[in-house]
Amino acid sequence: MIPENFPDRKVRVLFLEDVPEDVEMEVRELSRAGLSVEIRVAADETGFVHALRSFLPDVILSDYTLPTNFNGLRALAIARQEFPDTPFIFVSGTIGEERAIEAMRDGAADYILKEHQDRLGLAVIHAISNSRKKILLKKAEGALRESESRFSSFMQNFPGVAFIRDHDARYQYVNDYWLRVFSKGPEDVLNKRLSDVWDGDIVEGLRNNDRAVLSTGKPIQTVEVTRMGGRMKYWLANKFLIPSLTEGGEARVGGVSIDITSHHEQELRIIRINRSLRLLSGINAVIVRVREQEDLFREFCRLSIEDGNFPAVWIAGFNRDTGERRILASRARSGGVQVQGNWPERFLMDENGVGKTLREKEDVVFSVPTVSGHDPLPSDSCDHTVAAFSVRLGKEEDGALVFHADDRQIFDQEEKLLLRELADNLSFALEAVEKQKQLDYLAYHDNATGLANRSLFLDRLRQSMDLPKALSPLTAIVVLSIERMQFVYDTLGRIAGEELIALYSARLSSLVLNVNRIGRIGDNLFAISLNIFPSVEEIVHFVQDRLLPHLSDPFIIGGQEVRVLTRLGISLSPEDSRDAETLLSAATTALSNAQRDGETYRFYTRGMNELVRERLSLESHLLRALKNREFVLYYQPKVRLSNGSIEGVEALIRWQDPDKGMVLPSRFIPTLEETGLILPVGEWVVQQALSDLSGWIAKGLSVPRVSVNVSSLQLRHRDFLESLVRLWGPEERAGFLEIEITESLILDDVPGTIATLEEIRSRGMTVSIDDFGTGYSSLSYLASLPVNTLKIDQSFVAQLGDRPESLSIVSAIISLAHSLNLSVVAEGVEKESQLSMLKNLGCDAIQGFLISEALPADLFEAFLQNDKGFLPGS
């Protein structure tokens, strides 16, 4: 059967044979095998070579032995040399087996014995078919070699990197360009994993893209990043699947990548320039509308993050006089660089970085390695870049605008020029703000002293007077005049006079402390606004004890002592006016009155002058009273309702004024508290009460305890408790002393009062709450108060029987006290009906005129000697 790859024409057969009959016989055998042949016969070497070259046979049939010296082996050699792919078959009767084997070894396709030519046709067909297969295979191999050569040439000259990686991410192939670009040899790459070639953060991105190709089988195009020697390169990568050529084999990933680093950097450059232009435009818009340095800084930081897209930005300041360096404003993008911790301070002091910009006004750009721990720098880059641009902040202060970026290549020359322009614009804006502030300052301040002028002083006064009354119940305006200033000008000169004004202003400012409360309202006139004093008396003390003494001290002008006289006028709000302008005018009028009358100071209201003189006189007399022992103690007993015995005695102070006679406490106790005299007077009360009590006990009179009233000033004084212990004596006598405090005193400072009372109780003394029911006690803290007794205010007792609600209140107080294990004393009991009701309500003790009025010590001693009982009817 003729094969499919057999020629579709006559088969060209070249016979090397000297016997024509043998040729005819062989042709018949070929025909019988179904072959249509075209023949050419040669009998010697010359004819054979000529036929071989001109006839181009498909097969050669050769006898082994010829009559000439030319034979079949020689013909085989010539055929193998000229046309090695043409099959050569020996047809001979004399070849022999050894020669046949030799011939086959030399390239013969087969051998046929002439006496057995029935196999000839099949042998020819087989030989020609194998020859054609070999020819086709050689052509295929040649084409493959040519294709491989072209591919190799293409890959080696491809302007990009090419690679093949297996499913385990091992490199199977890289082109020469790959090796040149990444400066590696084949031994550094081939059969190496990605992790052996690249850093971990690079490997992850490359490996993920490989997985995408292997899992889907689809090609991808993406941008990949590599890093060699610290330099980042960007690649446009096309990756594709290379199927396995063997069944069950694993596919590979091939890829070609073009270097787009320059294109990428150009895109980034355009982005950076655009963001800087946006930032510059935004800052210029802010400069037009913002007039405060703090607002400018805040907006600059905000726009740098939002429009400039910088991870962090801050503004540093450097005071040229003091050398102080500080951060004035900062802002950071969420998740980016945080301007916090101690690293900005390190930047400030770095003389090659931000410190250099501050000191030498030189712009700098530098890289900072990412550090873990205390330095919260970006985690997605090896370095981050800092750029600092000098900026003028003011006369005495230089500054730096500091930008952080995630990439060390971020600040190119164009962007630095734009940011430099931004810094210059900001400097200009700050200078304009400073000039405007100077103009505003001069418009509202006195140039010689720096104090507020009349306009600003009145504006601040209005604001002060608008405060709630609870914060500022009393406002006083004090206008001061430096008397005889014209004399100073005439004798010492104008310059010396201005120096005196400046020194006087500085001393006045040191006395008032809050310089915003002072103004210069005329050549030699100053004004003070006071709203920190709760009473007129304290204002007078401030004027008399602080202002006038210090302002009368000499001033040194040109090495010469100069003394000046100060006169003052004072007005009060709301008494004199609620209008700032009117109030200042009233104080000026009061000053004129003081100058007219030769007084050091005067109030605007005539009655106020009299009141102040009266109160000052009272203070003076009280000091004298303490010194001359004009105070006396009266005693009023507290009696138990259960058995009529003495529960205790309350010591009540009186003042025996030599001029006015007996003065009740309500007239002088407030002044004692305002002036602080309550502290020494309080000590005297305790000492005198102890002395009187000791005398009664020595005479065998029964007095369980003596009560003394304590003010808030005493209770909060740091030495109060120690003074009680020191004055009262040994601990065994502590139980004889009871401290009485008012309900309102507790409400002023509940935690502090509780702590002090607990300490008093721990020393063995007892505590009672006086005038209970008149305040606004809270049951939540009343239960925790360390007290022994509640004293019902006499206002409730007086109305017992007259007003049912008073009976209910008293009953509730008694029930409440008993539920808290407290005893109850009712004050101001004057009627037996009141006594009866209190007894029925369970009250423990009473105090009032029904028992006895308050008595001096000698009369109270006689009262104690009554042994018939102290309740009416006893």
Side-chain angles (χ1 to χ4, degrees):
M1 183 176 178
I2 307 299
E4 290 183 0
N5 64 346
F6 216 72
D8 56 358
R9 55 176 172 77
K10 289 184 177 181
V11 177
R12 290 192 294 271
V13 182
L14 173 61
F15 289 95
L16 181 60
E17 179 64 63
D18 61 329
V19 179
E21 291 79 6
D22 288 345
V23 172
E24 290 177 2
M25 187 181 299
E26 292 172 15
V27 170
R28 282 196 301 271
E29 285 296 325
L30 294 176
S31 297
R32 194 161 59 87
L35 294 175
S36 176
V37 298
E38 179 184 354
I39 67 171
R40 184 74 54 89
V41 180
D44 55 24
E45 181 176 355
T46 302
F48 177 76
V49 171
H50 178 265
L52 185 65
R53 293 174 177 172
S54 61
F55 185 55
L56 300 176
D58 294 316
V59 63
I60 300 171
L61 301 180
S62 173
D63 194 359
Y64 184 79
T65 304
L66 296 172
T68 63
N69 57 359
F70 184 60
N71 59 30
L73 288 178
R74 172 65 182 159
L76 175 62
I78 293 172
R80 294 298 298 164
Q81 181 177 357
E82 293 279 341
F83 297 100
D85 294 327
T86 302
F88 193 104
I89 299 174
F90 279 102
V91 182
S92 175
T94 62
I95 187 169
E97 183 145 352
E98 290 184 2
R99 290 177 180 174
I101 292 173
E102 179 184 359
M104 295 291 286
R105 185 170 58 243
D106 289 343
D110 204 347
Y111 71 92
I112 302 294
L113 295 177
K114 286 186 177 181
E115 56 268 27
H116 296 292
Q117 291 189 20
D118 55 338
R119 200 171 62 83
L120 178 62
L122 291 178
V124 168
I125 292 172
H126 181 72
I128 292 175
S129 178
N130 285 345
S131 174
R132 292 186 67 84
K133 287 181 181 178
K134 287 181 181 178
I135 291 172
L136 292 175
L137 180 61
K138 283 184 178 180
K139 287 182 178 179
E141 289 175 347
L144 178 62
R145 284 193 297 272
E146 183 180 356
S147 174
E148 288 177 345
S149 176
R150 288 197 301 268
F151 174 78
S152 177
S153 177
F154 174 77
M155 284 293 99
Q156 302 312 325
N157 293 282
F158 177 69
V161 299
F163 56 87
I164 298 174
R165 290 192 286 266
D166 65 15
H167 67 283
D168 288 328
R170 287 189 178 90
Y171 280 96
Q172 302 295 302
Y173 167 83
V174 294
N175 64 349
D176 287 347
Y177 187 89
W178 195 106
L179 296 173
R180 289 196 306 272
V181 165
F182 299 119
S183 303
K184 291 185 179 295
E187 68 279 2
D188 300 324
V189 184
L190 297 181
N191 293 318
K192 302 287 186 181
R193 293 179 181 272
L194 279 171
S195 57
D196 298 327
V197 180
W198 304 106
D199 293 336
D201 57 333
I202 300 297
V203 168
E204 191 62 25
L206 300 178
R207 186 63 173 140
N208 286 340
N209 292 334
D210 285 4
R211 290 192 186 103
V213 172
L214 290 170
S215 62
T216 65
K218 296 179 179 179
I220 63 171
Q221 185 179 77
T222 185
V223 174
E224 293 186 329
V225 181
T226 61
R227 182 173 57 245
M228 280 289 179
R231 175 167 173 77
M232 308 294 290
K233 293 186 76 69
Y234 296 85
W235 303 88
L236 179 62
N238 288 275
K239 291 188 169 184
F240 46 87
L241 189 72
I242 301 177
S244 173
L245 297 178
T246 61
E247 186 176 352
E250 293 179 324
R252 296 174 293 172
V253 175
V256 291
S257 299
I258 302 296
D259 187 352
I260 58 169
T261 302
S262 297
H263 177 73
H264 178 76
E265 290 179 347
Q266 186 68 10
E267 283 186 343
L268 291 180
R269 171 180 163 274
I270 293 172
I271 291 172
R272 291 196 299 269
I273 291 175
N274 285 338
R275 76 171 182 184
S276 295
L277 288 171
R278 285 197 309 272
L279 177 57
L280 184 60
S281 175
I283 292 297
N284 288 341
V286 167
I287 287 172
V288 172
R289 60 182 174 81
V290 173
R291 288 293 177 267
E292 291 294 333
Q293 185 186 81
E294 183 179 344
D295 294 336
L296 270 176
F297 288 168
R298 182 172 58 252
E299 285 296 287
F300 164 77
C301 291
R302 181 186 67 81
L303 290 172
S304 296
I305 300 299
E306 295 178 3
D307 290 351
N309 199 32
F310 290 100
V313 64
W314 44 288
I315 303 174
F318 171 59
N319 189 298
R320 293 187 296 274
D321 293 339
T322 65
E324 178 190 8
R325 303 181 185 189
R326 59 198 178 105
I327 296 175
L328 303 173
S330 66
R331 186 158 175 169
R333 186 175 63 207
S334 176
V337 180
Q338 298 300 310
V339 187
Q340 60 188 15
N342 62 354
W343 61 266
E345 282 69 21
R346 296 206 308 271
F347 285 163
L348 285 177
M349 306 312 295
D350 180 7
E351 298 305 327
N352 294 318
V354 178
K356 185 175 184 179
T357 301
L358 293 173
R359 190 185 70 257
E360 300 179 11
K361 303 179 183 178
E362 180 179 332
D363 299 342
V364 298
V365 176
F366 57 96
S367 293
V368 181
T370 299
V371 181
S372 61
H374 297 295
D375 295 345
L377 305 182
S379 60
D380 57 351
S381 63
C382 292
D383 288 23
H384 93 276
T385 308
V386 180
F389 299 87
S390 65
V391 63
R392 298 184 304 276
L393 300 181
K395 292 181 179 179
E396 301 174 352
E397 194 167 25
D398 293 322
L401 307 183
V402 185
F403 300 89
H404 290 254
D406 294 336
D407 189 328
R408 66 170 64 187
Q409 303 295 332
I410 201 74
F411 295 104
D412 58 20
Q413 187 61 29
E414 287 179 283
E415 185 169 29
K416 285 191 287 187
L417 289 173
L418 288 172
L419 295 177
R420 177 67 263 164
E421 182 181 349
L422 185 152
D424 290 339
N425 290 353
L426 189 62
S427 296
F428 173 79
L430 292 170
E431 185 177 348
V433 167
E434 185 65 25
K435 288 181 179 179
Q436 186 60 47
K437 282 186 175 180
Q438 291 176 0
L439 292 174
D440 292 343
Y441 184 86
L442 293 175
Y444 291 102
H445 291 80
D446 175 58
N447 193 36
T449 64
L451 296 176
N453 60 16
R454 182 185 182 90
S455 176
L456 180 57
F457 178 80
L458 282 170
D459 184 57
R460 289 173 174 171
L461 177 58
R462 292 186 190 98
Q463 295 178 30
S464 173
M465 294 176 69
D466 287 340
L467 291 173
K469 289 185 178 180
L471 298 177
S472 180
L474 178 65
T475 298
I477 300 300
V478 181
V479 175
L480 305 89
S481 169
I482 307 176
E483 301 294 282
R484 303 190 309 131
M485 270 304 300
Q486 191 59 48
F487 175 77
V488 175
Y489 289 137
D490 293 342
T491 56
L492 300 179
R494 193 76 190 177
I495 295 178
E498 291 176 353
E499 184 178 353
L500 174 61
I501 292 290
L503 291 174
Y504 187 93
S505 167
R507 186 177 295 178
L508 182 62
S509 299
S510 69
L511 296 173
V512 176
L513 299 181
N514 186 354
V515 72
N516 289 331
R517 296 295 182 186
I518 311 173
R520 186 183 181 194
I521 60 174
D523 182 54
N524 63 326
L525 291 180
F526 295 84
I528 306 172
S529 168
L530 301 173
N531 64 350
I532 60 173
F533 298 116
S535 67
V536 175
E537 289 79 7
E538 292 198 35
I539 294 172
V540 172
H541 280 298
F542 174 74
V543 169
Q544 285 192 332
D545 301 338
R546 185 168 179 83
L547 286 183
L548 291 174
H550 289 86
L551 293 176
S552 64
D553 288 341
F555 296 90
I556 306 301
I557 308 293
Q560 180 179 346
E561 283 192 1
V562 177
R563 294 179 181 272
V564 296
L565 173 64
T566 300
R567 297 190 191 277
L568 305 91
I570 307 170
S571 61
L572 302 172
S573 177
E575 286 84 348
D576 297 328
S577 177
R578 296 181 183 273
D579 175 71
E581 187 93 37
T582 305
L583 198 62
L584 180 60
S585 177
T588 306
T589 300
L591 171 64
S592 299
N593 294 337
Q595 291 171 327
R596 180 196 63 204
D597 299 337
E599 297 282 353
T600 305
Y601 66 91
R602 290 291 299 270
F603 282 88
Y604 176 72
T605 304
R606 181 181 302 275
M608 187 59 68
N609 290 315
E610 297 299 327
L611 177 61
V612 168
R613 276 195 287 269
E614 181 181 334
R615 290 189 178 179
L616 291 176
S617 175
L618 179 59
E619 287 182 27
S620 176
H621 282 75
L622 287 172
L623 283 169
R624 183 201 65 195
L626 180 61
K627 181 179 180 181
N628 296 340
R629 302 181 66 85
E630 296 173 7
F631 293 113
V632 295
L633 287 185
Y634 276 51
Y635 296 93
Q636 189 172 36
K638 292 181 272 188
V639 177
R640 293 188 185 93
L641 291 179
S642 60
N643 57 18
S645 62
I646 294 293
E647 163 76 15
V649 59
E650 180 178 3
L652 301 167
I653 191 170
R654 301 288 189 268
W655 174 22
Q656 187 66 48
D657 189 341
D659 301 323
K660 300 180 180 178
M662 190 64 69
V663 181
L664 295 176
S666 59
R667 294 290 305 278
F668 62 87
I669 290 294
T671 303
L672 289 178
E673 292 180 341
E674 290 171 5
T675 60
L677 287 173
I678 193 68
L679 296 175
V681 171
E683 285 195 6
W684 174 85
V685 169
V686 174
Q687 276 185 316
Q688 187 60 45
L690 172 60
S691 176
D692 292 337
L693 178 63
S694 299
W696 298 329
I697 293 174
K699 294 178 182 179
L701 299 175
S702 175
V703 180
R705 68 181 59 84
V706 63
S707 303
V708 295
N709 291 280
V710 173
S711 71
S712 60
L713 186 62
Q714 291 173 273
L715 193 66
R716 291 171 191 153
H717 194 271
R718 62 181 181 276
D719 296 328
F720 171 68
L721 184 59
E722 295 307 319
S723 67
L724 279 183
V725 174
R726 173 174 48 81
L727 294 172
W728 200 252
E731 288 187 9
E732 56 269 18
R733 295 204 306 192
F736 290 105
L737 179 61
E738 182 174 63
I739 302 300
E740 287 196 13
I741 58 174
T742 62
E743 187 179 6
S744 58
L745 184 151
I746 298 171
L747 296 174
D748 289 342
D749 179 17
V750 175
T753 301
I754 289 176
T756 303
L757 296 182
E758 285 177 344
E759 187 66 22
I760 291 173
R761 286 274 300 271
S762 71
R763 299 298 184 98
M765 306 170 199
T766 58
V767 180
S768 68
I769 300 180
D770 198 9
D771 302 332
F772 187 79
T774 59
Y776 298 92
S777 299
S778 169
L779 295 179
S780 63
Y781 72 75
L782 184 60
S784 63
L785 284 176
V787 299
N788 304 89
T789 304
L790 295 184
K791 296 184 71 175
I792 302 174
D793 187 69
Q794 60 184 352
S795 62
F796 298 114
V797 175
Q799 296 175 4
L800 283 177
D802 298 330
R803 298 182 62 183
E805 57 269 26
S806 294
L807 180 63
S808 299
I809 292 172
V810 171
S811 176
I813 292 174
I814 294 172
S815 297
L816 172 64
H818 287 167
S819 69
L820 298 174
N821 295 319
L822 304 178
S823 62
V824 182
V825 177
E827 296 182 291
V829 179
E830 298 180 355
K831 301 176 182 178
E832 291 191 20
S833 60
Q834 296 168 348
L835 183 151
S836 177
M837 281 186 281
L838 289 167
K839 192 171 185 179
N840 290 334
L841 292 172
C843 185
D844 298 297
I846 63 171
Q847 178 182 349
F849 283 4
L850 183 62
I851 305 301
S852 172
E853 62 181 329
L855 302 171
D858 54 345
L859 296 180
F860 186 70
E861 180 179 328
F863 173 81
L864 289 175
Q865 291 173 351
N866 176 16
D867 56 359
K868 296 180 180 180
F870 299 99
L871 289 175
S874 298

